[in-house]
Amino acid sequence: MLSWLIVGEVILNMPDLGLLDGIVLDQDEPVFSEPWEAQAFALVIGLYEKGAFTWNEWATVLSSTIHSDDGCTSYYELWLKALETIVMQKALANKDEIFVRKTEWQKALLATPHGQPIELQNAHKS
Amino acid sequence: MNETKKHSHDHDHSHWSDMDLKVKTLESLLVEKGYVDPAALDVIVETYETNVGPRNGAAVVAKAWNDEAYLERLRENASDAIAELGFTGRQGEHMQVVENKPGVHNIVVCTLCSCYPWSVLGLPPVWYKSAPYRSRVVIEPRSVLSEFGVKLPEATKITVWDSTAEMRYLVIPERPSGAKDWSEEQLAKLVTRDSMIGTGLALLPNEVPA
C-alpha cells in the first residue's frame, strides 16, 4: 500500500510533461464504447468468479500488459491482450486452439451473407 | 521501435473488427470448455452497465456525513461498513476510506493498472485508466486538479493513494455547508463520482441538478 505525501509545491523531479497527452475529461462517456469491450470485460469477471484465476493474478497480468505498451493502445485492447495472456498462462486454451478457432470464425464470416447471424457452424458450410 | 499500433485491415467480407474476432474466439473456446457460462456473461455486463455505479458510493458518503457511528465503522473496517448497505466487492478487495478535511485533500489513482473500487463506483472513467492521469497525478497533483477545475488553498496537504489489487480507496469528500438538515437521500445528490476519487469536490446545495 503506497502513498505519496506531497505538501505544498511539487517535490519530485518533473519529467518532460510535454511528452504526455493531456487528460481527456468526458463526463458523459459510455461505460463501454463497443460491444466487444463489454464481452472482454465480462469474460474476465466470469473466469475470475469461476475460480480460473485470482484477482491478484489478473491484476499482475493486466498491469504488465499495460506497462509493456507505449501508451497508444486503448484500455480494452490491452485488457483483451491480457486476457489472452492469462488464458494461455493458466492453460485454459493453448495457442494452437486459439489459432484454429480464429480461422474457423474467419471462415464463418466469409460464409455468412450480410444481415444473418454469424455462427461457427457456418464455417463448415463452404 | 516505433511500431504502428493500429493495424486496420479492411476486409470487405468481414462484419467484424480484429477485436470482435479475438473476443469471439476466446469466448467460444471458454464457453465450450465450461470455464464460463454465457448467461452469466450477460448478467455481468448488465450489472455493471446499470446496477453498479457511483450512486452506491454516494449512499455510503451521505450516510457517513449523517451518522457519526457509521463513519466510525467505516474508519475501522470500510469493507464491512460498505457491505452493511448491500454493496460487496466481487474481487475480494479491501476497502479503506480516506477523509477530506479543511487543509487535507486525498486523491486516488492506480499507477500500475486500473484498480478501482468497482462495488461502490462502478466502472472507472476513461481518464482514470489513462497513462497521463496515472503518471501525472503522482507528480503534479495540483496541476491535475486544476484541469478538473479544482483549486485548493496552497496550504492544503494533498495525499495521493495508490490502489492495488487488494486495497481500494474511497474518498469521503468534505460535507458542504448549507445542507444542514438534509436527508441522506438528498445529501447523496451532492456526492459526485469525481468527489469520491478526489478529482472533484462535493457539490454545493445550489449546484444540485433539478
PDB file of all heavy atoms in Angstrom, chain B residues 189-205:
ATOM      1  N   LYS B 189     -27.126  13.338  -3.380  1.00  0.00           N
ATOM      2  CA  LYS B 189     -27.116  14.068  -4.650  1.00  0.00           C
ATOM      3  C   LYS B 189     -25.944  15.047  -4.750  1.00  0.00           C
ATOM      4  O   LYS B 189     -25.598  15.511  -5.837  1.00  0.00           O
ATOM      5  CB  LYS B 189     -28.435  14.828  -4.847  1.00  0.00           C
ATOM      6  CG  LYS B 189     -29.607  13.884  -4.995  1.00  0.00           C
ATOM      7  CD  LYS B 189     -30.845  14.624  -5.449  1.00  0.00           C
ATOM      8  CE  LYS B 189     -31.981  13.633  -5.650  1.00  0.00           C
ATOM      9  NZ  LYS B 189     -33.176  13.982  -4.903  1.00  0.00           N
ATOM     10  N   LEU B 190     -25.354  15.368  -3.608  1.00  0.00           N
ATOM     11  CA  LEU B 190     -24.207  16.286  -3.603  1.00  0.00           C
ATOM     12  C   LEU B 190     -22.902  15.558  -3.910  1.00  0.00           C
ATOM     13  O   LEU B 190     -21.874  16.180  -4.165  1.00  0.00           O
ATOM     14  CB  LEU B 190     -24.076  16.958  -2.232  1.00  0.00           C
ATOM     15  CG  LEU B 190     -25.275  17.754  -1.729  1.00  0.00           C
ATOM     16  CD1 LEU B 190     -25.026  18.218  -0.305  1.00  0.00           C
ATOM     17  CD2 LEU B 190     -25.530  18.951  -2.632  1.00  0.00           C
ATOM     18  N   VAL B 191     -22.972  14.210  -3.854  1.00  0.00           N
ATOM     19  CA  VAL B 191     -21.739  13.424  -3.937  1.00  0.00           C
ATOM     20  C   VAL B 191     -21.522  12.949  -5.375  1.00  0.00           C
ATOM     21  O   VAL B 191     -22.234  12.090  -5.871  1.00  0.00           O
ATOM     22  CB  VAL B 191     -21.806  12.201  -2.996  1.00  0.00           C
ATOM     23  CG1 VAL B 191     -20.464  11.490  -2.972  1.00  0.00           C
ATOM     24  CG2 VAL B 191     -22.217  12.625  -1.593  1.00  0.00           C
ATOM     25  N   THR B 192     -20.550  13.534  -6.048  1.00  0.00           N
ATOM     26  CA  THR B 192     -20.264  13.135  -7.426  1.00  0.00           C
ATOM     27  C   THR B 192     -19.237  12.006  -7.434  1.00  0.00           C
ATOM     28  O   THR B 192     -18.530  11.798  -6.456  1.00  0.00           O
ATOM     29  CB  THR B 192     -19.668  14.304  -8.213  1.00  0.00           C
ATOM     30  OG1 THR B 192     -18.428  14.673  -7.596  1.00  0.00           O
ATOM     31  CG2 THR B 192     -20.597  15.504  -8.230  1.00  0.00           C
ATOM     32  N   ARG B 193     -19.179  11.312  -8.571  1.00  0.00           N
ATOM     33  CA  ARG B 193     -18.161  10.267  -8.720  1.00  0.00           C
ATOM     34  C   ARG B 193     -16.762  10.852  -8.484  1.00  0.00           C
ATOM     35  O   ARG B 193     -15.966  10.301  -7.726  1.00  0.00           O
ATOM     36  CB  ARG B 193     -18.243   9.672 -10.137  1.00  0.00           C
ATOM     37  CG  ARG B 193     -17.151   8.636 -10.406  1.00  0.00           C
ATOM     38  CD  ARG B 193     -17.044   8.307 -11.881  1.00  0.00           C
ATOM     39  NE  ARG B 193     -16.547   9.442 -12.623  1.00  0.00           N
ATOM     40  CZ  ARG B 193     -16.661   9.611 -13.937  1.00  0.00           C
ATOM     41  NH1 ARG B 193     -17.268   8.718 -14.662  1.00  0.00           N
ATOM     42  NH2 ARG B 193     -16.186  10.681 -14.533  1.00  0.00           N
ATOM     43  N   ASP B 194     -16.477  11.982  -9.154  1.00  0.00           N
ATOM     44  CA  ASP B 194     -15.125  12.548  -9.049  1.00  0.00           C
ATOM     45  C   ASP B 194     -14.788  12.952  -7.611  1.00  0.00           C
ATOM     46  O   ASP B 194     -13.630  12.890  -7.209  1.00  0.00           O
ATOM     47  CB  ASP B 194     -14.981  13.760  -9.985  1.00  0.00           C
ATOM     48  CG  ASP B 194     -14.946  13.336 -11.455  1.00  0.00           C
ATOM     49  OD1 ASP B 194     -15.084  12.126 -11.733  1.00  0.00           O
ATOM     50  OD2 ASP B 194     -14.783  14.221 -12.314  1.00  0.00           O
ATOM     51  N   SER B 195     -15.808  13.359  -6.850  1.00  0.00           N
ATOM     52  CA  SER B 195     -15.516  13.758  -5.465  1.00  0.00           C
ATOM     53  C   SER B 195     -15.085  12.554  -4.629  1.00  0.00           C
ATOM     54  O   SER B 195     -14.394  12.700  -3.632  1.00  0.00           O
ATOM     55  CB  SER B 195     -16.725  14.459  -4.823  1.00  0.00           C
ATOM     56  OG  SER B 195     -17.735  13.525  -4.477  1.00  0.00           O
ATOM     57  N   MET B 196     -15.474  11.355  -5.061  1.00  0.00           N
ATOM     58  CA  MET B 196     -15.084  10.148  -4.317  1.00  0.00           C
ATOM     59  C   MET B 196     -13.756   9.571  -4.821  1.00  0.00           C
ATOM     60  O   MET B 196     -13.205   8.654  -4.231  1.00  0.00           O
ATOM     61  CB  MET B 196     -16.198   9.093  -4.410  1.00  0.00           C
ATOM     62  CG  MET B 196     -17.465   9.538  -3.682  1.00  0.00           C
ATOM     63  SD  MET B 196     -18.776   8.293  -3.745  1.00  0.00           S
ATOM     64  CE  MET B 196     -19.485   8.614  -5.366  1.00  0.00           C
ATOM     65  N   ILE B 197     -13.263  10.107  -5.956  1.00  0.00           N
ATOM     66  CA  ILE B 197     -11.910   9.752  -6.428  1.00  0.00           C
ATOM     67  C   ILE B 197     -10.928  10.815  -5.938  1.00  0.00           C
ATOM     68  O   ILE B 197      -9.737  10.582  -5.834  1.00  0.00           O
ATOM     69  CB  ILE B 197     -11.875   9.653  -7.979  1.00  0.00           C
ATOM     70  CG1 ILE B 197     -12.908   8.657  -8.499  1.00  0.00           C
ATOM     71  CG2 ILE B 197     -10.486   9.258  -8.476  1.00  0.00           C
ATOM     72  CD1 ILE B 197     -13.015   8.599 -10.022  1.00  0.00           C
ATOM     73  N   GLY B 198     -11.491  11.997  -5.651  1.00  0.00           N
ATOM     74  CA  GLY B 198     -10.649  13.091  -5.173  1.00  0.00           C
ATOM     75  C   GLY B 198     -10.289  14.087  -6.260  1.00  0.00           C
ATOM     76  O   GLY B 198      -9.553  15.036  -6.014  1.00  0.00           O
ATOM     77  N   THR B 199     -10.797  13.865  -7.458  1.00  0.00           N
ATOM     78  CA  THR B 199     -10.541  14.830  -8.534  1.00  0.00           C
ATOM     79  C   THR B 199     -11.659  15.867  -8.609  1.00  0.00           C
ATOM     80  O   THR B 199     -11.694  16.685  -9.532  1.00  0.00           O
ATOM     81  CB  THR B 199     -10.423  14.123  -9.899  1.00  0.00           C
ATOM     82  OG1 THR B 199     -11.569  13.296 -10.077  1.00  0.00           O
ATOM     83  CG2 THR B 199      -9.177  13.259  -9.953  1.00  0.00           C
ATOM     84  N   GLY B 200     -12.564  15.818  -7.646  1.00  0.00           N
ATOM     85  CA  GLY B 200     -13.633  16.807  -7.576  1.00  0.00           C
ATOM     86  C   GLY B 200     -13.975  17.057  -6.117  1.00  0.00           C
ATOM     87  O   GLY B 200     -13.427  16.412  -5.215  1.00  0.00           O
ATOM     88  N   LEU B 201     -14.878  18.004  -5.909  1.00  0.00           N
ATOM     89  CA  LEU B 201     -15.386  18.266  -4.563  1.00  0.00           C
ATOM     90  C   LEU B 201     -16.874  17.945  -4.586  1.00  0.00           C
ATOM     91  O   LEU B 201     -17.480  17.872  -5.650  1.00  0.00           O
ATOM     92  CB  LEU B 201     -15.189  19.751  -4.212  1.00  0.00           C
ATOM     93  CG  LEU B 201     -13.750  20.301  -4.322  1.00  0.00           C
ATOM     94  CD1 LEU B 201     -13.746  21.796  -4.046  1.00  0.00           C
ATOM     95  CD2 LEU B 201     -12.806  19.565  -3.369  1.00  0.00           C
ATOM     96  N   ALA B 202     -17.451  17.773  -3.406  1.00  0.00           N
ATOM     97  CA  ALA B 202     -18.905  17.578  -3.351  1.00  0.00           C
ATOM     98  C   ALA B 202     -19.577  18.851  -3.873  1.00  0.00           C
ATOM     99  O   ALA B 202     -19.024  19.946  -3.768  1.00  0.00           O
ATOM    100  CB  ALA B 202     -19.329  17.277  -1.930  1.00  0.00           C
ATOM    101  N   LEU B 203     -20.761  18.695  -4.448  1.00  0.00           N
ATOM    102  CA  LEU B 203     -21.483  19.866  -4.950  1.00  0.00           C
ATOM    103  C   LEU B 203     -21.979  20.711  -3.788  1.00  0.00           C
ATOM    104  O   LEU B 203     -22.169  20.212  -2.679  1.00  0.00           O
ATOM    105  CB  LEU B 203     -22.699  19.410  -5.767  1.00  0.00           C
ATOM    106  CG  LEU B 203     -22.434  18.552  -7.009  1.00  0.00           C
ATOM    107  CD1 LEU B 203     -23.777  18.148  -7.644  1.00  0.00           C
ATOM    108  CD2 LEU B 203     -21.567  19.299  -8.013  1.00  0.00           C
ATOM    109  N   LEU B 204     -22.186  21.986  -4.066  1.00  0.00           N
ATOM    110  CA  LEU B 204     -22.856  22.835  -3.090  1.00  0.00           C
ATOM    111  C   LEU B 204     -24.352  22.650  -3.263  1.00  0.00           C
ATOM    112  O   LEU B 204     -24.812  22.282  -4.342  1.00  0.00           O
ATOM    113  CB  LEU B 204     -22.468  24.298  -3.333  1.00  0.00           C
ATOM    114  CG  LEU B 204     -20.978  24.604  -3.164  1.00  0.00           C
ATOM    115  CD1 LEU B 204     -20.652  26.007  -3.664  1.00  0.00           C
ATOM    116  CD2 LEU B 204     -20.560  24.425  -1.708  1.00  0.00           C
ATOM    117  N   PRO B 205     -25.139  22.902  -2.192  1.00  0.00           N
ATOM    118  CA  PRO B 205     -26.582  22.668  -2.318  1.00  0.00           C
ATOM    119  C   PRO B 205     -27.205  23.351  -3.544  1.00  0.00           C
ATOM    120  O   PRO B 205     -28.071  22.764  -4.199  1.00  0.00           O
ATOM    121  CB  PRO B 205     -27.132  23.228  -1.009  1.00  0.00           C
ATOM    122  CG  PRO B 205     -26.020  23.042  -0.039  1.00  0.00           C
ATOM    123  CD  PRO B 205     -24.755  23.246  -0.823  1.00  0.00           C
TER     124      PRO B 205
END
